[in-house]
Every structure is written in structure tokens, then in C-alpha cells.
Amino acid sequence: MKISWWKITAIVLVLYSIVAGFLIDVPRLPILHETIRNLFFHVTMWFSMIMLLIVSLVNGIRYLGKADMHYDIIAEESARVGIVFGILGLITGSIWAKNTWGAWWVNDAKLNGAAASMLVYFAYILLRGSMDDEHKRARISAVYSIFAFSLMLVFIMILPRLTDSLHPGNGGNPGFGRYDLDNTMRMVFYPAVIGWMLMAVWIVNIRVRIRKIANQFG
Amino acid sequence: MASGKYMLKEIKSLIVKEIMLEWKQKYAFNGLLLYVASTVFICYLSFKQIIDPPVWNALFWIILLFAAVNAVAKSFMQETRGRQLYMYTIASAQSVILSKIIYNLLLMLLISLINLLFYSLFIGNIVQDMPMFMLGLLLGSAGFASVLTMISAIASRAGNNTTLMAILSFPILIPMLITIIRFSKNAIDGLAATVNYQFMVMLLGLNVLVVALSFLLFPYLWRE
């Protein structure tokens, strides 16, 4: 079996980020303490999810332009894998919130934005399931994903800036960004982001190939 | 795509068509009236009077949200396949979506005013800055109408069921709903108008974005 260099990189980086993420010395900060290590696990999930959802959007647009089913398969599979990463992001965030804020969920612009985006993509999958004709399904779900993605972008990018947020990086709360300046953390965080993103691409790649083989055999 | 002047004429006659259709089958509009009236009445029986501004405000917009989903859902679902094919041959896709959005905006404005009337009558009116609240109604109706028109087009292509309509529209209505609730809460409390400028800009921006997206994307739904 031939394994390409980027897949090896993905495995090495993810393993490194998990091992080093638990072992390195982190800045001792009030309230955060050891939970600051969540940076390596929680934030990377969201980065990977956003990348996959953008891939899904771009392939939706390409489908509307070319009407090639290849783009539709990529759009669907990256949305599905994006949802999995999103759920992992919610779980890691929730555990972190319980230990620092004292609640699994708080009413906060960023958290609600994340939950609403998840609902949008669940609706996207449901919409796909409601149609049988594959070209019709591809076209209509592409229209919905472009429409929904643009509105969610406004929600996630602009609304939290209008209000205060508890989330690190907003409203004077300690942000991870400041502690990225800590060079040891940076040496784990950046490889972790790249590793998980490559991992996400790999998963989508496998799923797209499975779909194509399944299509060949009816 | 038709030229500007021709398109305006086309949109105008399509809106007139919608209004005449609505007038012809009054039961749809009367049904909406009854829906709003009975929802408000149920809320009245459950809550009696509401004097707490956040609750008053949230309930008002939730009633309006559900009325909007019901009102706009039929804009594409009601049309038979034959009539849609006929429209396809005589009008451009852009005119069709724009006329539906404008018509639904008028419908939503009417419904929101009626809702406000019943709501004030039964549950009480605690709004301190009425002109600002009215502006909120206008912006909110426009937002609901434009988003739901597009979603109704999508849902009608995907098997015509109302559950789908709610599932597809609720998550993307959340940003609009949150902003409009903040906006009208400030109007209820009678805060200075300047507090609301950022929300006003945001709502206008969202409306423009939705209409622009509908304009670009609807042709892909229309052709079959």
C-alpha cells in the first residue's frame, strides 16, 4: 500500500500534538490552569471544521457552474465530516466550559453561533435526504448551502463583535491569543492545527473514494 | 435577463397577480388572521397580562415568526406544477423571486400590524418608543419575508413539506431574530435612538444580503 507523504505528516503531527499537548510546560494562569491545554484539542477542531465547510461551499458553487457530480460528492462528504469535527469541538468546548465557567453551556454569542451552524448543516443533510433525483439534489442543496453559509458567516463574524462574549478572546476575557506568545505552546499549537486539517482532508478523501466505488457498482 | 424597465413592469404585474390570487381565495389570508388571533388568545389565557419587557418582546416575535413561516410557506408550495411551468415560459426568474419577496413583505407587514393590534388588546402594550418599534416591525417583516421566500422555494423543490420549511429556515433566521429582538427591546424600553443604529445597520445589511443572494441563486432553483 502506498502512503503519501502528507498522510504520514498528518499521523506524525497529530500524535505529536496529543503527546506533547499533555506533557509540555504550560503557563500557569488563574482560572485556566491546566485547562489551557484545551487549545490544542478544541481550537484545532473548529479550524478543521471551518476549513471543511469552506471546501463544501466552494464545491457547491463549482457544482452550480459545471453540473459535475464529482463536486457534489466532495461538497456532501466534506459537510458530513465537518459536522463530526463540529460535534467534537462542541464536546471539547463543553468540558472546558464546565471546568472554567462552571457550566456545560452558557448563553453566549459565540456558542450560540456554533450551535446554529450545526443546526444548519444538519438541515443540509436532511434536505439532501429528502430528494431522490441526484442532479436535483445536488443543485438544490448547493443553493441552500450557499444561502445558509453566507448568513451564518454574518452571524459568527459580526454578531459576537456587537456584544460582549465570555469566550476567550472577547470582551476583555483572557484570550488564548495572548498566550500563543508563549513559544512552547506555539510549538505544539501550529503543528496540531496542520495535523488535524490534514487528517480532515484525509478522511474526506477516503469517503469520496468510497462513494465513487459505491456509485460504480450501483 | 430582461432589461431594467421591462423587468420593473414584469415585477409589477406579477405582484398584482399575487394580490389578485390572494383576494380570490380569501381563505388563506383569513386563515392567517385566525391563526394570529387564536395564538394571541392562547397566550393571553396562559399569561394573562405581561409586564416584563423581555418576555413581552420574545413572545411577540415568536408568535410573529410562526405566523411568518405559515404565511410565506405557501408562496411556492401552493402553486401547481402547471402554473409554475407557465410562469417559467413568460417571466424571468429574477422577476419571479423579487415579486414574491415584495408581495410577502407586504403580507408580513399587514400580519405584524394585526399581531400588534391583537397583542396590545389582550396582553397589553408596554412599548415606550412606538415609532422605533414600528421601524423594527418593518425591518423584521422584510427580513422574515425575504429569507422565508427563498427557503419556501427550496422546500417546494424538495418534496413540499412544511416540516422541511421550518427545519431549513429556523437556524438561518436566528441571527435576524436575535438582532430584531434586541432592537425592539430597546424600543420598548424607550432608549435613545442612537443605541439602535448598529442593529439597524445590521438588519438592513442582512436584508440586502438575502435579497442579493436570492437574486443570484433563484435561477438555479427555477430551471428544472
Side-chain angles (χ1 to χ4, degrees):
Chain A
M1 194 173 73
K2 185 173 141 281
I3 295 186
S4 359
W5 60 268
W6 63 272
K7 292 175 184 170
I8 297 170
T9 318
I11 298 171
V12 171
L13 288 183
V14 166
L15 279 179
Y16 162 72
S17 79
I18 292 173
V19 174
F22 281 114
L23 291 183
I24 59 154
D25 241 4
V26 290
R28 299 272 178 273
L29 294 161
I31 305 173
L32 288 175
H33 301 296
E34 293 288 335
T35 69
I36 199 170
R37 293 179 197 278
N38 202 26
L39 174 75
F40 309 131
F41 306 101
H42 172 69
V43 182
T44 49
M45 291 299 129
W46 290 118
F47 276 33
S48 313
M49 181 198 78
I50 289 165
M51 181 197 69
L52 287 178
L53 297 185
I54 291 171
V55 168
S56 175
L57 172 82
V58 169
N59 281 286
I61 296 172
R62 280 159 97 188
Y63 177 84
L64 287 184
K66 289 249 178 73
D68 183 347
M69 283 313 284
H70 171 69
Y71 297 130
D72 180 59
I73 294 175
I74 299 178
E76 184 189 2
E77 293 307 336
S78 42
R80 280 179 190 273
V81 179
I83 288 176
V84 173
F85 275 90
I87 292 172
L88 290 175
L90 283 180
I91 294 172
T92 47
S94 214
I95 294 170
W96 180 84
K98 182 68 188 164
N99 287 292
T100 49
W101 297 337
W104 298 105
W105 191 270
V106 294
N107 190 3
D108 182 275
K110 274 204 172 176
L111 277 70
N112 291 339
S117 331
M118 285 288 97
L119 285 179
V120 164
Y121 281 90
F122 283 130
Y124 170 78
I125 298 296
L126 208 119
L127 175 69
R128 295 192 65 96
S130 74
M131 286 173 281
D132 289 328
D133 180 73
E134 61 172 9
H135 281 281
K136 189 178 166 189
R137 177 170 59 207
R139 193 155 38 87
I140 290 166
S141 57
V143 168
Y144 181 70
S145 87
I146 297 168
F147 192 64
F149 188 95
S150 320
L151 288 176
M152 291 326 285
L153 204 66
V154 174
F155 191 20
I156 295 171
M157 306 299 282
I158 298 174
L159 214 52
R161 285 182 176 69
L162 288 183
T163 52
D164 265 347
S165 171
L166 266 180
H167 196 277
N170 289 78
N173 287 298
F176 282 130
R178 257 170 48 209
Y179 310 113
D180 281 350
L181 294 177
D182 182 288
N183 273 322
T184 39
M185 281 189 78
R186 201 186 259 166
M187 271 168 53
V188 180
F189 179 61
Y190 293 152
V193 170
I194 297 168
W196 280 110
M197 279 185 169
L198 288 175
M199 203 58 114
V201 173
W202 191 1
I203 298 170
V204 172
N205 183 287
I206 290 171
R207 289 193 56 105
V208 169
R209 276 154 57 202
I210 292 173
R211 277 283 297 277
K212 285 192 170 164
I213 293 168
N215 281 352
Q216 264 174 21
F217 293 94
Chain B
M1 211 175 104
S3 69
K5 205 174 158 195
Y6 182 72
M7 197 168 163
L8 276 179
K9 219 174 134 193
E10 206 172 60
I11 292 173
K12 216 173 104 190
S13 38
L14 282 169
I15 296 173
V16 172
K17 182 217 85 174
E18 294 283 337
I19 295 174
M20 278 164 71
L21 264 180
E22 192 77 62
W23 189 249
K24 222 173 149 189
Q25 2 174 277
K26 289 192 198 65
Y27 77 90
F29 184 71
N30 291 345
L32 270 173
L33 273 187
L34 202 56
Y35 181 90
V36 172
S38 37
T39 314
V40 171
F41 189 61
I42 286 177
C43 292
Y44 165 67
L45 290 180
S46 336
F47 286 96
K48 302 292 175 197
Q49 291 275 309
I50 299 178
I51 39 168
D52 185 30
V55 178
W56 191 96
N57 190 28
L59 191 66
F60 181 86
W61 284 103
I62 288 170
I63 293 174
L64 205 55
L65 173 67
F66 278 84
V69 171
N70 276 314
V72 183
K74 67 177 175 50
S75 60
F76 282 93
M77 297 182 183
Q78 207 183 33
E79 309 229 7
T80 58
R81 213 184 132 72
R83 197 197 285 160
Q84 286 201 3
L85 271 175
Y86 177 61
M87 296 255 290
Y88 182 76
T89 57
I90 58 166
S92 80
Q94 279 90 356
S95 311
V96 171
I97 190 73
L98 286 182
S99 66
K100 292 254 185 199
I101 289 177
I102 295 170
Y103 170 71
N104 282 328
L105 166 64
L106 296 175
L107 184 68
M108 277 311 301
L109 267 179
L110 196 59
I111 290 174
S112 56
L113 287 177
I114 292 164
N115 188 22
L116 182 62
L117 180 75
F118 281 123
Y119 206 74
S120 316
L121 213 61
F122 285 107
I123 298 178
N125 192 337
I126 55 167
V127 181
Q128 293 183 27
D129 186 353
M130 208 56 191
M132 190 57 104
F133 191 79
M134 285 296 187
L135 183 65
L137 275 190
L138 175 67
L139 289 170
S141 305
F144 285 177
S146 49
V147 170
L148 288 169
T149 307
M150 187 65 184
I151 295 297
S152 155
I154 292 173
S156 80
R157 287 284 180 237
N160 263 341
N161 72 55
T162 34
T163 325
L164 201 59
M165 172 94 191
I167 292 169
L168 294 179
S169 60
F170 283 172
I172 54 179
L173 275 175
I174 294 172
M176 221 165 237
L177 196 66
I178 290 178
T179 325
I180 193 68
I181 282 181
R182 293 233 176 93
F183 183 97
S184 50
K185 172 73 170 49
N186 290 345
I188 292 170
D189 293 339
L191 298 186
T194 44
V195 182
N196 260 341
Y197 281 165
Q198 55 171 357
F199 296 122
M200 210 186 302
V201 170
M202 168 118 186
L203 282 168
L204 277 174
L206 274 173
N207 277 322
V208 171
L209 175 73
V210 171
V211 173
L213 281 171
S214 310
F215 194 82
L216 288 174
L217 291 173
F218 184 71
Y220 292 102
L221 292 175
W222 194 226
R223 113 182 145 208
E224 191 147 29

